[in-house]
Amino acid sequence: MGFEPRVTIVIPCFNCAGFIQDAVRSALAQTYPNTEVYVIDDGSTDSSVEEVKAFGDRVTLYTQPHSGGAAARNKGIELARGEYIQFLDADDELYPTKIEKHIDFIRSHRGLPGSAVTFCDYTVIPENGGPEQIVRPATAPHDSIAFVLSHQISVGAPLYPRQLLMAVEGFRVGLPCSQEFDLNLRLAVEGVKWVHVP
């Protein structure tokens, strides 16, 4: 079939028993077939681990002492066997064709540099039942640093080549917030290009 890279979906989880099964279901429902799902439980004290175990061997579960979201995602990067990494927070969901659309785009743009990260639009669904908001970051300009500084890119929007994440040593452990912003800015400083997938 040609270009069929494996994609690892990494789901960090800390006390998300009420959401984690929906997140995992959305990962397992991807229309792109060459995927694997890793849940990194970051020391949950609720029933999150039991909720994940219900999926059996369709999901690889790794448990660790509570170390924070950055450390959990980094463990996922370390364990991943995929050439690409899709991050998914435990209280988020992926549209079924999310990964397929990225791979189709990359396949049809084989001239993309190895230092490119594709990213897509995403939907924000308020917990209080308010109106959904579709966030469409503007097409990335030539200046990747300016783009990252001026646009919020949701942690689930990009499909990262694993080699790029390894090159910057993943997420910076210890940051209390804005972990994905910091990661994306460090990638941009290293010359990574951001490519929008509608």
Side-chain angles (χ1 to χ4, degrees):
M1 291 284 297
F3 183 69
E4 296 282 346
R6 178 180 291 176
V7 177
T8 303
I9 303 171
V10 174
I11 308 175
C13 179
F14 176 67
N15 288 346
C16 271
F19 298 99
I20 186 63
Q21 285 206 346
D22 288 337
V24 171
R25 283 191 199 97
S26 78
L28 293 173
Q30 290 301 296
T31 55
Y32 181 71
N34 195 11
T35 60
E36 60 181 8
V37 180
Y38 281 75
V39 175
I40 312 300
D41 186 79
D42 192 46
S44 292
T45 56
D46 64 2
S47 63
S48 292
V49 169
E50 288 71 28
E51 299 290 336
V52 175
K53 285 181 177 178
F55 292 97
D57 60 6
R58 293 186 293 162
V59 174
T60 300
L61 172 64
Y62 180 90
T63 60
Q64 65 182 27
H66 183 56
S67 307
R73 293 189 188 104
N74 285 346
K75 177 55 69 173
I77 297 169
E78 176 188 329
L79 296 173
R81 296 177 299 164
E83 297 166 59
Y84 289 87
I85 305 285
Q86 171 66 60
F87 293 110
L88 174 62
D89 283 352
D91 58 350
D92 290 345
E93 297 178 44
L94 298 174
Y95 285 106
T97 58
K98 199 278 187 190
I99 293 174
E100 181 181 12
K101 288 186 176 183
H102 280 263
I103 298 299
D104 283 349
F105 183 92
I106 295 167
R107 186 186 291 126
S108 62
H109 293 77
R110 292 309 298 272
L112 281 178
S115 59
V117 174
T118 57
F119 68 97
C120 66
D121 311 326
Y122 56 95
T123 304
V124 177
I125 304 173
E127 268 190 292
N128 63 7
E132 296 182 5
Q133 176 189 2
I134 298 176
V135 179
R136 295 186 173 94
T139 301
H142 294 297
D143 188 335
S144 294
I145 295 173
F147 174 70
V148 172
L149 288 173
S150 58
H151 293 82
Q152 181 173 346
I153 303 172
S154 171
V155 69
L159 183 68
Y160 293 98
R162 182 174 180 266
Q163 65 188 24
L164 296 183
L165 296 174
M166 298 289 287
V168 296
E169 300 181 351
F171 290 85
R172 198 189 309 251
V173 176
L175 287 181
C177 61
S178 300
Q179 298 159 355
E180 61 271 21
F181 171 77
D182 173 78
L183 171 74
N184 293 336
L185 184 58
R186 286 185 289 115
L187 286 168
V189 168
E190 292 299 319
V192 166
K193 303 300 181 187
W194 296 89
V195 180
H196 180 245
V197 177

